[in-house]
Structure formats: C-alpha cells, structure tokens
Amino acid sequence: IEDQELLDKATSIEEETPDYFVPLTTEEREDLKNRLRATVLLTKSSLVAQATKQVNDSVDISPHRTLLLDPQTPKQFMHMHHMKTGGTSMDTLIHCALRRQRDVNYGVDINYQSLSECGSRVRVCMENLADELNASVIDNVFFRNDDAGNPVEDERFDPADESLNIPIDDLNVCSTAEANVMSYCASLHAVRTFGWKDVDKITVIRNPIDRAWSMYRFTLQSCYDCQPMSDVLERVANGTFSSRRSDHYYDDNLDETRFVYSPNDSCAVQMIGHQATNLLSSLDLYNVANDVRFPREKEIAEEAVRNLREEFTWIGLTDRLEESTDAFREVFPFLTENLSEEAKRLEEDMRGHGLDVPENPFGLPETYGDLRGCPLEHANAGRDPTCGTKEMDDYTISLIKKLSNRDVAVYKAAVERFEIQMEVLEEFKNWHP
C-alpha cells in the first residue's frame, strides 16, 4: 500500500511538472552550426598560422587555440565547473596541461586562478570588489553605501553593467584580470562580475537525476546526516530544510522566508536546478533562483538554455565524457593528451598537404618530450552510500525533477547542442588548409 501511494505521488508530481525545453528551429540550428564551424576554423587557422609563422594582421590567431599558451595574454580560457558533473576531472586535465605549458615556456607559469561558490572564495572576492566600489554585497547582490557605509536598499547595481563604466580589470580583484586561465565553480553572473564574459568558455552538463543522486551520496553525512533522500528533497521543497552545517539544523519551526535559500547554502541549492542557476547572467533571475516556490521558473529555464547555446565556445556531457574531452582537445589543442606527439602529427599533416613548414614549427624546446601526457582521469568520483537512501525510487526521482525542472530543460538543450557539435567536427575530419 505504501509503495502504491508513493507511486501515485510520483505520477502526480510528474503530471504537474511542465516541460520548459523548446528545441531549436531549423534556422536557429543552422545559425548555431555556423558559429561552431567558425569556432573550429579559428582553431585550425591558428595552428597553421603558428606553424608557418604567418602571424600578421590578416590572421586572427588565438594562443589558446594552439599548442602553446601565451603567458603574457590574460583571459584566454575558462572552465565553468558545476559540482558532480565531471568538472573536477576537467580541472585536473587543465592543471596537467598548464604544468606542461610551464615546461615548454622555459619555466614561465601560466597564471591560473579559480573561484568557487562551494567554498568562500567567491564571497570573499565579491566583498573585496564591493569595498573597492564603496558598496556592500549581500547574497551576491551589490548595493551602494550611504555616507555611513551602510547599504541603501533602493540602490542595488550590477558591476558588470557596461553602462556604469566600472573599471573591473583595473581593480584586478583576486587577480582575476591578470589570470590567463580560470575555473569558475560559480554562476555566469559571477563570471560577468569579474570581467570574463567574452572569454572562450567550456562546461560539462549532466543529467539532473544522476547529478542530484551523486551530490546526495557525496555529501550524505556532511550535509544530510544520513537522512533518506526523499525526506531531504521534501524538506527543501517545503522550506524546512537546514543542513547539519547550519545553526538551525532541521528546525521544523522555520518561517516562510526559508522558501528562499541563500546562494551560499550549498547543501540546499545544489538540489534546486543548480546547473541552470549557474547559467544565469541576469541579476533579477539569479536573485529568485533559489526560491522553491519557483515564481519565475520558465524565465530561468529560458535564459539558462539561451546562455548554454550562446555563451559557451564548446560544451560536454558527463555521460559522454570521453567524447567530450576529445572534442575539447580538438578546439583547444593545448589540452591534447600528448603535446610532443600532437606537434609531430600536425607537422606531418601540414607538410603532407603542401605547406612550407619549418623544423619544429610549434616552437617546442629542442630537449622537450611529453613523457607523462595528460590523460583524462576520473577524479572526485561518487561514493557508495553507507547509510540513508541506497537506491532511488520513482517518488525520489519525481522530486528531483520537480526541484530541478529547469535543469531538465538545460540537459535536453545540452544533448541537442552536443550532437550538433559532433556533426561539425565530422565535417572537419578531413579538413586541410
């Protein structure tokens, strides 16, 4: 009887949960495909220009689209990391590639920085920026200060608003302006705030059911105190959830304001369409993203999907991580598994197509050999639960879909885009200059 009641509840939730995903039209699909073609062509052209030393005003070369990054060029590349999507594996790959760049740049480091909402760094850097602007920041929202240094409620503003002409790069808060490469475990709103809006970006998206399950298992004791997953999700949904990290842990007398969770309450917000929240760039939507009454859910889903389609150079899927990594390496060759072997392969390929390529065309040190390489390693893997929920049932899955409905739309859009990306790479399979 209990199983049937839960099944009936799950069916009811599924029926009440709208589908916010809208597929690309034929024209939109072709527009995206053309942008992706231009992306791949830029990489190919940059490699040829680097190899043939034909770098001039008529050739648009981007160092991060070649084998060698430029330590003097800031803001070349960034990774947006969503927790429990394979992001740590991608960050590990990037770290390996940057250590290798130090070797080929004769000991000069590539400046790498990271900001994460999972710890305190985003909050601290936001506060540092607010201090520079004589402002206060509350839950990532900026307010002008009065003469006494107190925030003025009616004077909220967005430092990334271009009309305000705030010199974000000159302030160089937390070294974000001088970094060559960054990893953001934070929202596009934070990315814009620190001046990285127009940088080449990658991200990996995961099926929201798998991601929530992985997140629950990973923080089962630190966040959820071994409570059944369905209980956790019910409490998040009805506004009575507090993690064991909180001062009012599982307080059943919480008032209505708890329907709006702080963006710093990671144990709760990781269960509320977190990937879509990270993909938000507008301040108004970001401010209501953690309200489990979902007052603007359709708008949030639409903006997140739009940004996934328009703001990222290339994306990957957790459930196709090997293919995703291979594709990232095609677009950003400095991530290649073995730098020496890739340089040799490219050199031979260019010569085979009649290009006048000098010896050692990519400028690797004569004594350099990539002995270790940078394989994809599966880091920060999920844990098998020793308590709490051991296996999800239909009711638990329906609660995940309810709380992460926007993520369902994002995941569908990611799968759609991923397939288009693969089609474009296939078109360039036999490309030569």
Side-chain angles (χ1 to χ4, degrees):
I1 294 175
E2 288 182 0
D3 288 346
Q4 186 59 49
E5 288 178 349
L6 289 177
L7 186 59
D8 290 343
K9 281 185 177 181
T11 301
S12 176
I13 291 172
E14 293 269 5
E15 291 174 349
E16 294 171 359
T17 304
D19 184 355
Y20 292 125
F21 173 66
V22 179
L24 292 166
T25 65
T26 301
E27 183 178 353
E28 290 169 338
R29 184 183 180 89
E30 191 60 25
D31 285 345
L32 174 57
K33 208 166 190 177
N34 285 333
R35 293 202 308 273
L36 295 172
R37 287 171 178 141
T39 292
V40 178
L41 186 59
L42 175 59
T43 297
K44 302 290 187 184
S45 301
S46 294
L47 285 167
V48 170
Q50 184 186 48
T52 59
K53 302 300 185 287
Q54 294 174 354
V55 182
N56 53 50
D57 292 341
S58 65
V59 178
D60 185 8
I61 183 170
S62 300
H64 57 289
R65 301 293 189 88
T66 69
L67 298 179
L68 299 180
L69 296 176
D70 179 7
Q72 305 305 317
T73 303
K75 297 184 179 180
Q76 295 179 57
F77 173 85
M78 67 153 277
H79 167 224
M80 172 169 278
H81 178 180
H82 313 281
M83 285 189 69
K84 308 314 297 177
T85 62
T88 302
S89 297
M90 289 309 308
D91 277 343
T92 301
L93 171 61
I94 293 167
H95 289 160
C96 178
L98 297 185
R99 287 194 301 271
R100 184 170 61 187
Q101 289 291 310
R102 180 181 57 213
D103 296 336
V104 298
N105 279 294
Y106 301 95
V108 178
D109 283 319
I110 298 298
N111 189 330
Y112 171 83
Q113 300 291 332
S114 65
L115 289 181
S116 174
E117 289 180 337
C118 313
S120 62
R121 188 157 163 78
V122 169
R123 177 178 55 78
V124 169
C125 292
M126 288 279 195
E127 290 172 352
N128 291 347
L129 177 58
D131 289 342
E132 293 282 356
L133 301 177
N134 189 25
S136 298
V137 60
I138 302 171
D139 285 342
N140 296 342
V141 179
F142 286 78
F143 298 85
R144 303 282 185 193
N145 284 343
D146 59 22
D147 292 339
N150 299 313
V152 180
E153 172 64 28
D154 295 336
E155 294 196 26
R156 61 179 61 194
F157 69 101
D158 182 357
D161 185 344
E162 294 179 359
S163 67
L164 298 178
N165 293 318
I166 296 174
I168 296 296
D169 281 356
D170 292 343
L171 297 175
N172 193 27
V173 174
C174 294
S175 301
T176 51
E178 64 188 37
N180 307 117
V181 174
M182 284 201 68
S183 174
Y184 278 89
C185 187
S187 68
L188 272 179
H189 168 63
V191 171
R192 291 172 67 251
T193 299
F194 293 105
W196 282 67
K197 177 182 183 296
D198 298 322
V199 178
D200 272 345
K201 308 175 187 68
I202 66 169
T203 195
V204 178
I205 300 296
R206 188 173 189 178
N207 182 311
I209 296 171
D210 296 336
R211 199 199 76 87
W213 175 233
S214 180
M215 186 68 202
Y216 169 77
R217 289 183 299 156
F218 188 73
T219 55
L220 180 55
Q221 297 188 40
S222 62
C223 273
Y224 309 122
D225 197 26
C226 288
Q227 297 293 314
M229 189 175 187
S230 59
D231 288 1
V232 171
L233 295 171
E234 285 176 340
R235 286 182 176 273
V236 171
N238 65 28
T240 62
F241 173 80
S242 289
S243 76
R244 64 179 301 170
R245 301 173 182 175
S246 171
D247 292 336
H248 40 257
Y249 170 51
Y250 278 92
D251 182 352
D252 288 319
N253 297 315
L254 291 172
D255 61 27
E256 187 177 275
T257 60
R258 285 293 299 174
F259 279 117
V260 183
Y261 292 94
S262 165
N264 298 314
D265 186 355
S266 63
C267 296
V269 301
Q270 288 290 339
M271 294 295 179
I272 310 172
H274 188 64
Q275 294 175 106
T277 303
N278 273 355
L279 293 172
L280 294 176
S281 52
S282 63
L283 189 59
D284 288 345
L285 291 180
Y286 182 77
N287 288 343
V288 297
N290 296 318
D291 185 338
V292 290
R293 293 165 296 190
F294 304 116
R296 301 176 67 180
E297 192 70 358
K298 185 173 184 290
E299 294 171 81
I300 289 174
E302 289 173 346
E303 178 170 289
V305 167
R306 182 169 61 253
N307 284 339
L308 182 75
R309 289 168 172 167
E310 298 177 0
E311 295 293 325
F312 289 85
T313 311
W314 216 260
I315 70 158
L317 297 174
T318 306
D319 46 11
R320 297 175 69 174
L321 198 56
E322 296 283 351
E323 291 175 88
S324 300
T325 303
D326 289 344
F328 288 144
R329 286 171 165 155
E330 282 286 322
V331 179
F332 301 101
F334 78 94
L335 295 173
T336 190
E337 182 163 350
N338 189 289
L339 205 59
S340 302
E341 292 177 3
E342 183 65 5
K344 182 178 180 181
R345 184 192 70 79
L346 288 169
E347 179 181 346
E348 292 175 350
D349 183 63
M350 290 177 187
R351 284 208 178 99
H353 288 99
L355 285 182
D356 184 13
V357 177
E359 292 295 325
N360 190 21
F362 298 102
L364 299 181
E366 291 183 6
T367 59
Y368 177 76
D370 190 354
L371 302 179
R372 292 180 299 174
C374 289
L376 175 66
E377 299 177 357
H378 293 279
N380 207 25
R383 306 164 182 169
D384 291 331
T386 58
C387 59
T389 298
K390 305 292 179 60
E391 183 177 347
M392 289 188 294
D393 55 23
D394 289 338
Y395 178 57
T396 302
I397 291 172
S398 69
L399 288 171
I400 294 173
K401 289 181 178 179
K402 176 183 178 180
L403 287 169
S404 294
N405 192 23
R406 67 185 77 149
D407 269 9
V408 174
V410 164
Y411 179 68
K412 289 179 178 179
V415 172
E416 177 187 54
R417 174 173 170 161
F418 186 85
E419 294 297 345
I420 297 172
Q421 290 177 174
M422 298 304 287
E423 290 173 13
V424 169
L425 289 178
E426 185 65 26
E427 291 178 3
F428 279 86
K429 195 171 184 178
N430 298 315
W431 181 91
H432 58 84

